[in-house]
Amino acid sequence: MSTKYQTPDDLLAVGLKDLWYPICPSDFVTDKPISLRRLGQKFAIWRDADGTPYALEDHCPHRGAPLSQGIPMGDRIACGYHGVQIRKDGVVTSVPGSPGCSLEGKRAARYFHLKEVAGAIFLYNSSEQIETPPPLNLPEQLTDDATWSNFLCYTEWKGDYRYVIDNVMDPMHGTYLHKQSHSMAEGSTVAEFGVRDTPTGFIFEKKGQRNMNFDWTEWADTGIHYMLLEIPYPKSGGPGGSFGIVGIYTPINEKLSAVFHWRVRRVQGWQRDAWRFLYQNRLEARHWAVLEQDRVMLEEMEPDANTRENLYQHDIGIVRLRRHMRKLASAQLEQLQDKAA
């Protein structure tokens, strides 16, 4: 047995193992199987009659045909090539062309655990087959519906997902790239930054400035890696205080990234209804305009841009996170190599 990952960068390029990742918005998945390439793998995903989503490797254990081209049968798929039926747990339940053959009853396909939260499908990217995944621990902004309201903004950007992470761990770019935005036009154009540890990660923040612009970013690891930030709203932004963003980024491949931003606000009662109406009718278009500025900038960067940098004090958050991710990847690679030996 061998592992295909030779360096920590090989592992980071496709996403660390044994973590939860969002893989698509909920409405991507219906009772008709779809094929999704994420995290260096290809998945066949579908729903049963009750709406429960399932995921198998998009590879029939018989001849390798894509299961996403098969026929859904509730909690199983019949491969479209030869009719072999594979259950949600990877067990082959029927081989119509050769009943009773050794393939029947065998767990011959890889299966993956899914959760559906906040308008997205999350997948546990396990390094080996496990019966029960760890809990999906998301921030309260996505799970406390009584206190928070959110909208999922999903898009796909060309380039390595790590450039998106770097972009969010760079509050200072808001002052310049987004300076015409209704929510990022205030505050100083000069700043000194500091790093503050939290129980699950760290906060990278401007010293001496808060609630003026994009002033801080939090990175957290709770079995899923996510990023938090807040941007103050002018009064025209409606009730609810600062506008928050929860960001999670999933590699599709080394040249394409799945970008999940949940726009969140602490609102209840009539204020919740007012904000949701205002967001859908006025604010959403403005927010997409800001994201478009990020997209254009990141997609125009060369793939090797991060190997030819001259970093300064504003970039210490990026440096810290890159080092931490590489440390995680190195430890995980060692574990994978030990198992493969």
Side-chain angles (χ1 to χ4, degrees), residues 178-185 232-234 236-237 283 286-287 290:
H178 306 313
K179 61 184 177 181
Q180 301 303 322
S181 165
H182 76 292
S183 55
M184 283 180 277
Y233 260 177
S236 61
L283 301 176
R286 297 178 181 179
H287 296 163
V290 171

Side-chain angles (χ1 to χ4, degrees), residues 159-176:
D160 193 306
Y161 76 108
R162 288 170 288 181
Y163 279 112
V164 189
I165 294 173
D166 287 350
N167 182 67
V168 180
M169 189 51 73
D170 175 19
M172 202 63 191
H173 87 269
T175 304
Y176 292 91

